[in-house]
Amino acid sequence: MGNICFKEEFVQNDFVKLKFDEDDLQATSIQIEGREAKQKVKLSDFKKLKPLGQGAYGKVMLVEYYKNGIQKLYAMKILEKKNIKKESQIRHVFDERKILEKTDSNFVVKLRYAFQNHARLYFIVDYMAGGDFYYHIKSQPSVPDHFIKFYSAEIIFGLQHLHSLNVIYRDLKPENILVSESRHIKLSDFGLSKILENDNEKAKTCCGTIDYLAPEVLVNDGYTFTCDFYSLGCLIYEMYFGKPPFYSKDKKQMMENRIIRLVPFLELCSKEARDLLTKLLEVDPKKRLGRKGAQQILDHAFFKELDIKKMKDLQIEPPITLIQSNKVDQKIFKEKIPKTQSKKENLKIFEGFTYFQKESQDN
């Protein structure tokens, strides 16, 4: 997806290592507070179980923490420092770490630990057993209205929290929305997110996934939180019709169509959904629904059947059904592990990157 100004989806990597190498094991230790016996966490306390994904700067692994009777699954995001050399790339990494540290919402993943060695950076975050939202919408022949309303509201709760922290998400798409074991969603992957320093600042970087990108992101006039609500409109549209609006393999043509054409097929959904999508997919951000904040969207008639307060407190049963299993799929991947080079590259120490969260907050 996308072109030169957009996030790369994958990098080529023929090797999946399920054991930590010598470099990994030299990662900075972290003191954990809030436990009876204070312990230091290091990578040898985690066991790699399987790969969960691959990104432009590294990979994500499912890991198991087990020590002194404490056992828990986490997702470990491993970033290669050699891939993070430009000033803008370093800034994005630190912004992601800041955002993960600051967030405190039922609808955004939480950072548990962050540490580093001379070669790599490591984020340890919540493991979301339900996988990504993309699977759950694509595995249904048609997505029911109640499902769309319920999870659209939860996504808005997550965006509302990020915006309250002056964060523009900038990469809302089904693959970045994860489903927990309790079947609620959490927003993840803040590598492209932008922290605004004040209420008057605007973002100007052209980034995101083009299928969900707001038109104003492509121009140089700057944009703000409302770009996330255009992406929300694209996602809701996809749940109804199977693809984002104006979808085309010709990305340039797709963006042009967003600006000059009316949103297609809206006559096939309810009056409330039609009105919501028309207002979210408004080309002019100053006229777009959500310009007054996320609550303006939640007040729309589309969500009138939902008990918003109970939903925010996770008191409403989610519509997704997960197959319960006591075992993690530990399928062994056939791997060829490359030899570690003896000469260590002198890569920059990311000062202030290390982080831990108290056990009492780990929920």
Side-chain angles (χ1 to χ4, degrees), residues 41-100:
V41 168
K42 50 188 180 298
L43 278 178
S44 59
D45 295 329
F46 296 91
K47 178 183 177 183
K48 287 183 183 180
L49 300 182
K50 67 175 183 178
L52 295 175
Q54 184 80 42
Y57 303 135
K59 56 183 176 287
V60 181
M61 302 290 299
L62 173 63
V63 297
E64 179 185 50
Y65 173 84
Y66 184 81
K67 193 171 183 180
N68 294 348
I70 298 171
Q71 184 177 15
K72 188 153 187 178
L73 296 176
Y74 293 101
M76 175 184 286
K77 186 173 183 178
I78 305 171
L79 304 180
E80 300 288 341
K81 286 185 179 180
K82 64 184 179 182
N83 297 331
I84 311 169
K85 291 185 176 180
K86 294 180 181 178
E87 184 179 342
S88 60
Q89 293 171 333
I90 295 172
R91 185 172 63 250
H92 283 315
V93 169
F94 268 96
D95 280 351
E96 180 171 19
R97 182 214 171 282
K98 287 178 185 177
I99 292 164
L100 284 165

Side-chain angles (χ1 to χ4, degrees), residues 31-275:
Q31 187 73 31
I32 293 187
E33 298 178 355
R35 294 178 180 166
E36 285 187 19
K38 290 185 178 180
Q39 304 166 351
K40 286 211 175 172
V41 168
K42 50 188 180 298
L43 278 178
S44 59
D45 295 329
F46 296 91
K47 178 183 177 183
K48 287 183 183 180
L49 300 182
K50 67 175 183 178
L52 295 175
Q54 184 80 42
Y57 303 135
K59 56 183 176 287
V60 181
M61 302 290 299
L62 173 63
V63 297
E64 179 185 50
Y65 173 84
Y66 184 81
K67 193 171 183 180
N68 294 348
I70 298 171
Q71 184 177 15
K72 188 153 187 178
L73 296 176
Y74 293 101
M76 175 184 286
K77 186 173 183 178
I78 305 171
L79 304 180
E80 300 288 341
K81 286 185 179 180
K82 64 184 179 182
N83 297 331
I84 311 169
K85 291 185 176 180
K86 294 180 181 178
E87 184 179 342
S88 60
Q89 293 171 333
I90 295 172
R91 185 172 63 250
H92 283 315
V93 169
F94 268 96
D95 280 351
E96 180 171 19
R97 182 214 171 282
K98 287 178 185 177
I99 292 164
L100 284 165
E101 179 184 353
K102 289 168 66 176
T103 55
D104 184 18
S105 167
N106 289 327
F107 308 99
V108 181
V109 296
K110 292 183 179 180
L111 177 67
R112 302 305 178 178
Y113 315 107
F115 46 112
Q116 65 178 304
N117 59 25
H118 77 281
R120 301 181 186 103
L121 302 172
Y122 305 82
F123 291 96
I124 309 290
V125 299
D126 299 321
Y127 168 58
M128 305 293 283
D132 66 44
F133 195 59
Y134 182 87
Y135 167 80
H136 293 282
I137 61 175
K138 296 303 181 183
S139 61
Q140 305 181 64
S142 62
V143 184
D145 256 33
H146 175 65
F147 182 105
I148 296 174
K149 291 176 182 179
F150 183 93
Y151 286 110
S152 295
E154 289 204 336
I155 292 165
I156 295 169
F157 299 155
L159 291 175
Q160 190 173 38
H161 180 67
L162 291 175
H163 293 176
S164 75
L165 301 174
N166 281 342
V167 173
I168 309 176
Y169 189 17
R170 298 205 295 193
D171 202 17
L172 180 64
K173 58 182 179 181
E175 295 89 338
N176 284 347
I177 301 166
L178 303 180
V179 180
S180 70
E181 190 174 11
S182 62
R183 296 169 291 141
H184 296 281
I185 64 93
K186 292 179 187 281
L187 304 183
S188 72
D189 196 346
F190 304 101
L192 294 183
S193 297
K194 169 71 175 177
I195 303 173
L196 298 182
E197 298 300 326
N198 56 66
D199 293 339
N200 297 319
E201 185 184 3
K202 290 186 175 183
K204 293 186 178 180
T205 303
C206 173
C207 64
T209 302
I210 195 167
D211 302 55
Y212 306 91
L213 202 67
E216 65 267 21
V217 177
L218 291 171
V219 299
N220 296 321
D221 294 336
Y223 56 91
T224 185
F225 306 109
T226 48
C227 72
D228 286 337
F229 298 137
Y230 188 95
S231 301
L232 173 69
C234 292
L235 179 54
I236 295 174
Y237 185 97
E238 183 175 10
M239 284 192 273
Y240 273 111
F241 302 109
K243 292 181 180 179
F246 310 110
Y247 180 79
S248 171
K249 291 182 179 179
D250 184 338
K251 303 304 181 183
K252 182 179 179 182
Q253 186 64 54
M254 181 168 66
M255 292 308 299
E256 289 178 357
N257 289 343
R258 282 186 185 170
I259 296 172
I260 64 175
R261 287 179 52 190
L262 295 175
V263 183
F265 306 124
L266 289 185
E267 67 277 3
L268 301 177
C269 55
S270 69
K271 177 183 176 183
E272 291 81 10
R274 194 160 57 241
D275 186 69

